[in-house]
Amino acid sequence: PRLLALCGHLDGVLQLWDMASGAVLAKLTGHAQTASCVVADWTTMRALSGSWDCSVRMWDLRQGSCLHCFGQGRPVSCI
């Protein structure tokens, strides 16, 4: 099995990493501000990310695409 990591960054971009090779497999864009929290389900290859832009996004990690964006009205610091 592949060892993967998903990281949020100050510029709002999420990066999906292959930990064995150190390669960035995908850059997920959509947040307008810092991506402050992420959680991934490696079985389904879906993830949620929260941002200071007051949104929570659901991602398809296989496709590298945003499936849904939910407005929260306040910056998101924890999922």
Side-chain angles (χ1 to χ4, degrees):
R2 229 173 176 180
L3 182 59
L4 303 173
L6 185 62
C7 305
H9 296 278
L10 291 173
D11 61 3
V13 175
L14 301 174
Q15 289 186 327
L16 179 63
W17 293 83
D18 180 319
M19 298 303 290
S21 69
V24 175
L25 302 175
K27 291 185 179 183
L28 310 175
T29 60
H31 286 300
Q33 295 182 26
T34 298
S36 53
C37 49
V38 298
V39 62
D41 180 337
W42 302 114
T43 303
T44 63
M45 291 299 287
R46 299 273 171 100
L48 293 173
S49 61
S51 172
W52 294 355
D53 68 4
C54 305
S55 70
V56 172
R57 290 180 178 267
M58 179 182 285
W59 303 92
D60 180 327
L61 299 177
R62 286 188 183 95
Q63 299 296 319
S65 61
C66 181
L67 300 173
H68 301 286
C69 181
F70 309 94
Q72 297 301 306
R74 301 175 86 177
V76 181
S77 60
C78 184
I79 293 180

